[in-house]
Amino acid sequence: MILFLTGNTFRDRTGCEDKSEMIPDNHLIDEMQKMFPDPCRALYFSDGPDDFEFNDFIANDTKDGFEYSGFQFESFICVDDRNASRAKELIQEANFIILGGGHTPSQNRYFRDIALGDLLKDYDGVIWAISAGSMNCAETVYAAPEEDGEAVDPEYKRFLTGLGLTKTTILPHYNYWKDRTLDGLNYINEIILPDSMGRTFCYITDGSYILVKDGIEELRGEAYIVHNGKIKQLSANGDSVLL
């Protein structure tokens, strides 16, 4: 299994803001070209099972972003409640799986409901994860609060069991969250840093990613290590660091 863990795979397409293109930073497209299966039989998993119209919209937008950047598909199937009963069969036939973004706890619950972790144990293709999808690939997922009310909700569960595909606990979108507040709290200093006591998070910027191949986890691009209430820069754009 080859695993790409990205924060945001896409950016607005030049001259066409309602369409996407892949972010080429840190040789992401170059690496994809080396690993992309031909012919490619893709599955797309979103963060929920039953919003079919939205799932189709996001899946089609994702497919279009890949195709615009030069990657073509023999088939591209969105997996949700319409076909989840066939998930095992679909995964056996696929060689490229996309774990999309969205609300991390919702996606985590959905993945557990369909036993995705078990279904992927013998999978030998490429997995491409985006944002929440990358977070849920970890053994222990840090579902950092992201929606109004979550940061101050004592019932909100911040640590969840993930798919176990990476030992790294990932946080995406550092460049988006670093100067923001949620529920009146400074996002980094008053939410993320306190939650890192006794734990370690890898906080990546959009355009950075972790490539997992043959059990080796390699960080490409700008990222930060959060541990025991402190944050420090681990790498810059253009860097490659073994985790």
Side-chain angles (χ1 to χ4, degrees):
M1 180 190 301
I2 296 169
L3 183 62
F4 286 85
L5 303 169
T6 75
N8 192 352
T9 295
F10 302 105
R11 65 186 181 189
D12 289 339
R13 190 177 300 175
T14 303
C16 188
E17 293 185 359
D18 62 341
K19 295 289 187 179
S20 300
E21 63 183 4
M22 290 181 69
I23 300 172
D25 299 0
N26 301 295
H27 306 289
L28 180 61
I29 294 177
D30 295 338
E31 289 294 348
M32 173 68 144
Q33 289 172 338
K34 298 175 187 176
M35 315 293 183
F36 193 72
D38 183 21
C40 182
R41 301 178 298 279
L43 299 181
Y44 178 87
F45 291 84
S46 69
D47 68 342
D50 53 11
D51 191 344
F52 304 146
E53 183 176 355
F54 180 75
N55 290 346
D56 286 342
F57 172 79
I58 295 297
N60 288 331
D61 186 63
T62 301
K63 178 175 180 285
D64 179 72
F66 277 118
E67 290 181 334
Y68 182 80
S69 301
F71 302 100
Q72 302 299 314
F73 301 92
E74 181 180 77
S75 60
F76 195 103
I77 299 172
C78 180
V79 182
D80 53 28
D81 273 358
R82 292 170 290 186
N83 54 9
S85 63
R86 298 177 49 236
K88 181 177 181 179
E89 173 191 344
L90 293 171
I91 289 171
Q92 289 174 339
E93 295 173 352
N95 53 18
F96 190 76
I97 291 175
I98 302 168
L99 307 178
H103 186 239
T104 305
S106 298
Q107 186 184 70
N108 184 275
R109 183 168 52 251
Y110 171 44
F111 286 175
R112 283 187 281 111
D113 287 345
I114 63 173
L116 184 59
D118 291 335
L119 297 178
L120 291 175
K121 285 183 177 178
D122 296 322
Y123 176 72
D124 194 33
V126 177
I127 294 179
W128 189 282
I130 303 169
S131 190
S134 295
M135 297 167 75
N136 277 315
C137 283
E139 294 174 356
T140 299
V141 179
Y142 173 41
E146 56 185 285
E147 296 187 351
D148 290 343
E150 289 181 343
V152 294
D153 180 0
E155 302 299 319
Y156 180 78
K157 294 183 179 180
R158 303 188 182 200
F159 295 96
L160 308 169
T161 300
L163 297 173
L165 303 178
T166 172
K167 65 179 184 290
T168 304
T169 300
I170 298 165
L171 283 172
H173 316 309
Y174 172 79
N175 44 323
Y176 174 83
W177 284 108
K178 64 178 181 176
D179 297 318
R180 294 183 181 265
T181 60
L182 181 67
D183 297 328
L185 301 171
N186 179 279
Y187 196 76
I188 299 293
N189 294 330
E190 296 182 278
I191 299 175
I192 303 300
L193 294 187
D195 285 348
S196 73
M197 299 306 297
R199 302 176 184 271
T200 302
F201 312 139
C202 183
Y203 216 149
I204 65 174
T205 60
D206 290 341
S208 301
Y209 60 100
I210 296 172
L211 174 61
V212 184
K213 184 180 179 183
D214 298 327
I216 298 173
E217 304 196 7
E218 185 176 357
L219 170 69
R220 305 283 183 85
E222 182 181 350
Y224 298 78
I225 287 295
V226 186
H227 176 67
N228 279 346
K230 297 181 180 180
I231 183 169
K232 66 178 181 179
Q233 187 165 357
L234 174 65
S235 55
N237 273 325
D239 288 347
S240 176
V241 178
L242 294 179
L243 296 175

